[in-house]
Amino acid sequence: MAAVERALGRLADAGRRHPDEQALLASVLEGLRRRPKRISPVWFYDERGSCLFDEICELPEYYLTRVELSILRGRLSEIAASVGPDLCVIEPGSGTSTKTHMLLNALERPAAYVPVDVACEHLEAAAERLRREHDRLKVHAICADFTAPFSIPEGAPFRNRLVYFPGSTIGNFDRAEAVRLLSHLRRVARGGSMLIGVDMVKDRRVMVAAYDDAAGVTAAFNLNALDHLNRRLGSDFDPAGFHHRAVWNAVASRIEMHLVSRQRQLVRIGDDFVCFAAGEALVSEYSHKYTPEMFAAMAGAAGWHVGQVWTDPREWFSVQRLVADCSSISAGDRGCRVHAPRPTDTA
Ligand code: AVI
């Protein structure tokens, strides 16, 4: 009898949920039934999570943002010359478009900028700022999840396309997902090119420290995902019942962020319960690191050819130009070649 009542209660509860919320709940439960359990890194990014991420980018251990910016600053005119004039720059997951400003200033007569992001309010604010700063630039913001198909308005000045995908966001997708995304972005580029930020394999200690900083900001960022889940889905994760862990998985060439259960516990999610054993890890993020060869092979599987690779003196990070059509790579740049670092590049 109790089981029947529980089942009826579950049906009544399910009926009260919005279909979008039900789909969200179903996808979270699907991840929590996997071995190891997984949640999507999208749960990091509520308001607090976005602020924590901004703080992460300033941490001494988190080299990625700093090094990518140093490469861009040091090679900006070379990069701008390589992609050419009159471009429509499309930026998936544009956020606050901070690095874009620098790129747009260096490009010759940029025609249009198309930021694509799910955070619609931030997107419009960033678009408005860029409209004010570049008065001849057409800015057309698209509020969409860039991993799903989205369409760009037809016609000039949206023709000559450059996809700009900095920040090593590609590292947060596993290989199959990354190939799918890169193929999708190649179709978006329509025969154009892509500038992409790619984090490189380096000393394990450097990589682990970047995801497990001494001040505990990344730990707070990771645990905040549980608060976000609780608010959105009415689950009862107790963040104090988990601790943050960052590990290097050499076989998969990635940093993994885990939330490790401190004890055996039951967590209610919707009308279901999920059991965690003491010490059991919930995977919250993968951050893949590449060698130039690994990345070129993956980009190749998505139909891209590597043109130039710009890197820093320690070769910790790279900015790569990918082209859909191999004939647009000059003979000297063909293939995967790491440029000799210049003495002016600093991390
Ligand atoms: C957004 N992404 C590229 C970051 C990374 O480095 O994988 C997210 C992040 N996770 C922990 N720290 C930063």
Side-chain angles (χ1 to χ4, degrees), residues 45 53 56 62 64 167-169 172 211 218 221 257 285 287:
Y45 300 100
F53 181 66
I56 287 174
Y62 195 74
L64 287 82
S168 190
T169 305
N172 298 132
Y211 294 85
T218 312
F221 175 70
M257 295 224 305
E285 187 180 58
S287 202

Side-chain angles (χ1 to χ4, degrees), residues 27-44:
S27 83
V28 169
L29 283 168
E30 189 272 320
L32 293 173
R33 285 187 190 117
R34 291 202 212 168
R35 292 289 172 273
K37 293 181 171 71
R38 281 210 61 182
I39 53 168
S40 161
V42 299
W43 292 104
F44 292 145

Side-chain angles (χ1 to χ4, degrees), residues 175 179 183 186 296-304:
R175 192 181 192 281
V179 169
S183 306
R186 187 174 49 77
M298 190 172 81
W304 288 104

Side-chain angles (χ1 to χ4, degrees), residues 101-125:
H101 178 68
M102 205 158 82
L103 179 71
L104 289 170
N105 273 337
L107 290 177
E108 193 181 337
R109 295 187 310 272
Y113 174 56
V114 182
V116 184
D117 207 294
V118 273
C120 305
E121 275 173 30
H122 284 186
L123 180 74
E124 253 323 309

Side-chain angles (χ1 to χ4, degrees), residues 30 34 38-41 147 165 168-183 249 251-256 283-290 294-295 298-299 301-302:
E30 189 272 320
R34 291 202 212 168
R38 281 210 61 182
I39 53 168
S40 161
T147 60
F165 197 35
S168 190
T169 305
I170 193 67
N172 298 132
F173 296 85
D174 68 27
R175 192 181 192 281
E177 290 166 343
V179 169
R180 224 174 299 131
L181 176 60
L182 291 172
S183 306
N249 177 338
V251 175
S253 196
R254 67 188 177 212
I255 289 285
E256 296 183 2
V283 178
S284 52
E285 187 180 58
Y286 292 145
S287 202
H288 292 81
K289 313 296 169 193
Y290 296 95
M294 278 161 58
F295 187 75
M298 190 172 81

